[in-house]
């Protein structure tokens, strides 16, 4: 009777009879629902020639192929586009597949002493654009649909120095790039719902309601930064006319909705994150700007840059002026490949905060990343700190 009161006996260890693997001494949680993994497997009927089995396998394979094709059509993963620079002489080092989604390059085989035996390499892309495709088509096929359909979009340009990354994102004096077109697109969509004062702000990854004194302070910061920006009124008007002639952006006016748009601009240089819109930059005794690197933090699953300056803007012109100001502060240097090459990764972010009269707040983020050149060191001649 005493043994019964002491509770269940402790299991004895044995090297002959192993412990039941279903017993978990840590009492870790596991699902209560039991699945029978072999219910969907049916035994095939015996046949002398195997024709029934082969036909059944063929039909199943056809169904699987159809499902794979269907899943590829609705795939929403990252998309990679290749843009080729215009060249005066046609290159013989590569060719395109018939569907225009595969780049085929040929290289001399290591085991061959002449150019007869060459091996091919195939690189697949979502789509490939040759030198005849302009800025308007690039935006319509790569960026515009994502801004309309997705809540958070990240656009990155990657390539060697002088390959046209910055031109694709920013354009030049006459042809607008992805960012000016995207800014005009975003402000046109929310034109009927733009709020004149910053009542919402994204702080440490969370949307926060600002009090009156904080709202006034944010408006003062925005005005101070805009006064430091270069005057691009004439250039912006010229780009706006070009954009409106190339695209037809529609305004989506929603009743009982207020929209506030904020921008930020950072660069990643030598593995450190710097704020390109900080005010005012500190200077030492020699007049050099003292830049303090920022830290990347996480709050409730939201990753953010601690202490990053975000500026409230009311028009696409103000956002573009802040972009030009940040470009003046970013790190550029001359290399053997490009006389004005970006030496850092630059990320320009547009945060759209929405507030409905029902009290619900939502956020949309659009990030435009201009990555540094991925060139060979032997070709650029970079040494020391720049390396």
């Amino acid at each position: 009777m005493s043994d019964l009161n002491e509770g269940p006996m402790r299991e004895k260890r044995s090297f002959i009879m192993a412990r039941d693997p279903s017993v978990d001494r840590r009492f870790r949680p596991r699902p209560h629902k039991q699945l029978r993994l072999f219910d969907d497997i049916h035994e095939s009927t015996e046949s002398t020639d195997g024709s029934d089995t082969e036909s059944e396998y063929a039909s199943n394979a056809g169904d699987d192929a159809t499902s794979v094709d269907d899943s590829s059509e609705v795939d929403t993963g990252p998309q990679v586009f290749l843009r080729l620079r215009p060249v005066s002489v046609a290159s013989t080092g590569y060719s395109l597949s018939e569907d225009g989604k595969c780049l085929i390059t040929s290289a001399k085989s290591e085991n061959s002493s002449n150019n007869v035996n060459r091996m091919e390499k195939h690189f697949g892309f979502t789509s490939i654009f040759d030198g005849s495709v302009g800025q308007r088509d690039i935006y319509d096929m790569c960026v515009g649909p994502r801004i309309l359909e997705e809540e958070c979009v990240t656009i990155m340009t990657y390539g060697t120095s002088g390959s046209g990354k910055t031109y694709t994102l920013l354009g030049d004096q006459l042809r607008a790039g992805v960012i000016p077109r995207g800014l005009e697109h975003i402000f046109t969509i929310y034109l009927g719902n733009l709020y004149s004062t910053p009542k919402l702000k994204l702080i440490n990854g969370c949307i926060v309601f600002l009090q009156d004194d904080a709202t006034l302070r944010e408006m003062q910061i925005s005005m101070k930064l805009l006064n430091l920006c270069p005057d691009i009124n004439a250039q912006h008007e010229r780009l706006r006319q070009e954009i409106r002639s190339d695209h037809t952006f529609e305004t989506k006016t929603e009743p009982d909705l207020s929209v506030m748009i904020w921008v930020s601009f950072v660069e990643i240089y030598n593995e450190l994150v710097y704020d390109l819109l900080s005010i005012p930059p500190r200077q030492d005794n020699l007049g050099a700007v003292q830049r303090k690197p920022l830290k990347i933090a996480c709050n409730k699953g939201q990753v953010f840059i601690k202490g990053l300056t975000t500026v409230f803007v009311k028009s696409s012109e103000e956002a573009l002026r802040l972009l030009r100001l940040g470009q003046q502060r970013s790190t550029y240097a001359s290399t053997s490949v490009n006389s004005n090459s970006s030496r850092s990764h630059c990320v320009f972010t547009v945060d759209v905060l929405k507030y409905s009269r029902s009290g619900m707040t939502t956020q949309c983020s659009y990030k435009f990343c201009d990555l540094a050149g991925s060139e060979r060191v032997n070709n650029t001649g970079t040494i020391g700190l720049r390396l």
Side-chain angles (χ1 to χ4, degrees):
M1 296 296 294
S2 60
D3 295 337
L4 296 177
N5 295 332
E6 292 177 359
M9 296 181 61
R10 184 177 180 181
E11 181 184 2
K12 295 182 180 181
R13 293 184 179 182
S14 173
F15 294 97
I16 301 177
M17 299 296 294
R19 178 171 52 88
D20 185 0
S22 62
V23 177
D24 189 359
R25 293 184 176 180
R26 296 184 180 180
F27 298 99
R28 289 170 290 189
R30 51 186 172 179
H32 297 287
K33 183 179 179 181
Q34 297 181 357
L35 302 177
R36 299 181 61 86
L37 302 179
F38 300 98
D39 287 347
D40 296 335
I41 300 179
H42 304 281
E43 296 182 358
S44 59
T45 58
E46 296 182 358
S47 58
T48 56
D49 56 353
S51 58
D52 296 339
T53 305
E54 292 178 359
S55 60
E56 182 180 358
Y57 174 78
S59 61
N60 292 336
D63 296 340
D64 294 341
T66 305
S67 61
V68 171
D69 294 339
D70 295 341
S71 62
S72 62
E73 293 178 358
V74 298
D75 187 18
T76 58
Q79 297 185 350
V80 183
F81 300 91
L82 174 64
R83 188 182 190 185
L84 304 175
R85 286 197 60 173
V87 292
S88 56
V89 181
S91 175
T92 59
Y94 67 87
S95 61
L96 302 180
S97 60
E98 295 181 357
D99 59 356
K101 296 183 178 181
C102 184
L103 182 73
I104 305 172
T105 62
S106 59
K108 182 180 178 181
S109 177
E110 297 179 357
N111 299 328
S112 176
S113 58
N114 50 29
N115 294 333
V116 176
N117 295 329
R118 306 179 71 90
M119 57 181 181
E120 292 183 350
K121 291 185 178 180
H122 296 245
F123 302 91
F125 297 90
T126 304
S127 185
I128 300 177
F129 308 107
D130 57 15
S132 62
V133 180
Q135 299 280 60
R136 178 191 62 184
D137 297 330
I138 291 293
Y139 184 84
D140 286 339
M141 289 183 282
C142 302
V143 183
R146 280 82 194 167
I147 290 182
L148 285 175
E149 299 173 1
E150 300 183 13
E151 296 182 354
C152 295
V153 183
T154 299
I155 307 296
M156 295 190 299
T157 55
Y158 173 80
T160 59
S161 294
S163 59
K165 301 184 301 297
T166 304
Y167 171 75
T168 299
L169 276 184
L170 301 177
D172 53 17
Q173 300 293 334
L174 300 177
R175 293 171 292 273
V178 166
I179 295 182
R181 296 173 190 267
L183 291 175
E184 196 68 29
H185 195 177
I186 293 171
F187 276 92
T188 303
I189 291 177
Y190 303 108
L191 183 61
N193 299 104
L194 291 178
Y195 202 67
S196 58
T197 56
K199 283 298 182 179
L200 292 179
K201 186 178 181 181
L202 200 62
I203 301 178
N204 295 341
C206 300
I207 300 178
V208 178
F209 286 89
L210 299 180
Q211 301 296 330
D212 293 340
D213 54 346
T215 300
L216 180 61
R217 184 167 58 253
E218 293 296 337
M219 296 184 66
Q220 293 175 350
I221 293 175
S222 176
M223 185 179 302
K224 186 175 182 179
L225 275 173
L226 290 174
N227 291 333
L228 298 175
C229 296
D231 185 12
I232 60 170
N233 189 12
Q235 178 187 358
H236 178 264
E237 186 62 29
R238 184 168 57 252
L239 293 178
R240 176 184 289 179
Q241 293 178 1
E242 181 207 359
I243 294 172
R244 290 183 176 179
S245 63
D246 291 342
H247 311 277
T248 304
F249 300 142
E250 297 181 359
T251 300
K252 296 182 178 180
T253 304
E254 300 181 18
D256 301 333
L257 182 67
S258 300
V259 176
M260 284 146 277
I261 300 180
W262 300 73
V263 298
S264 60
F265 201 7
V266 300
E267 76 167 349
I268 305 173
Y269 181 65
N270 282 341
E271 307 299 331
L272 297 177
V273 181
Y274 296 98
D275 188 359
L276 296 178
L277 297 180
S278 59
I279 55 168
R282 295 182 302 174
Q283 297 181 352
D284 57 12
N285 298 330
L286 301 178
V289 178
Q290 292 285 342
R291 299 200 305 173
K292 183 179 180 181
L294 304 179
K295 295 182 179 180
I296 299 178
C298 182
N299 181 22
K300 298 180 180 179
Q302 298 292 330
V303 179
F304 62 93
I305 301 176
K306 191 174 182 180
L308 177 63
T309 303
T310 55
V311 188
F312 175 74
V313 291
K314 293 180 288 186
S315 65
S316 59
E317 181 182 358
E318 292 183 355
L320 191 60
R321 289 175 60 188
L322 293 172
L323 174 64
R324 302 298 186 191
L325 176 64
Q327 283 184 281
Q328 295 178 354
R329 300 180 176 182
S330 60
T331 305
Y332 287 84
S334 176
T335 65
S336 301
V337 178
N338 190 1
S339 60
N340 191 24
S341 176
S342 175
R343 297 290 89 199
S344 62
H345 306 306
C346 296
V347 183
F348 184 75
T349 304
V350 181
D351 290 320
V352 180
L353 306 183
K354 304 176 184 180
Y355 174 75
S356 61
R357 298 298 171 85
S358 61
M360 179 173 293
T361 59
T362 56
Q363 170 199 357
C364 300
S365 295
Y366 307 96
K367 295 181 174 63
F368 303 92
C369 309
D370 186 9
L371 302 181
S374 59
E375 65 277 349
R376 294 183 181 272
V377 177
N378 295 335
N379 297 337
T380 57
T382 53
I383 58 176
L385 181 62
R386 188 182 302 175
L387 174 63

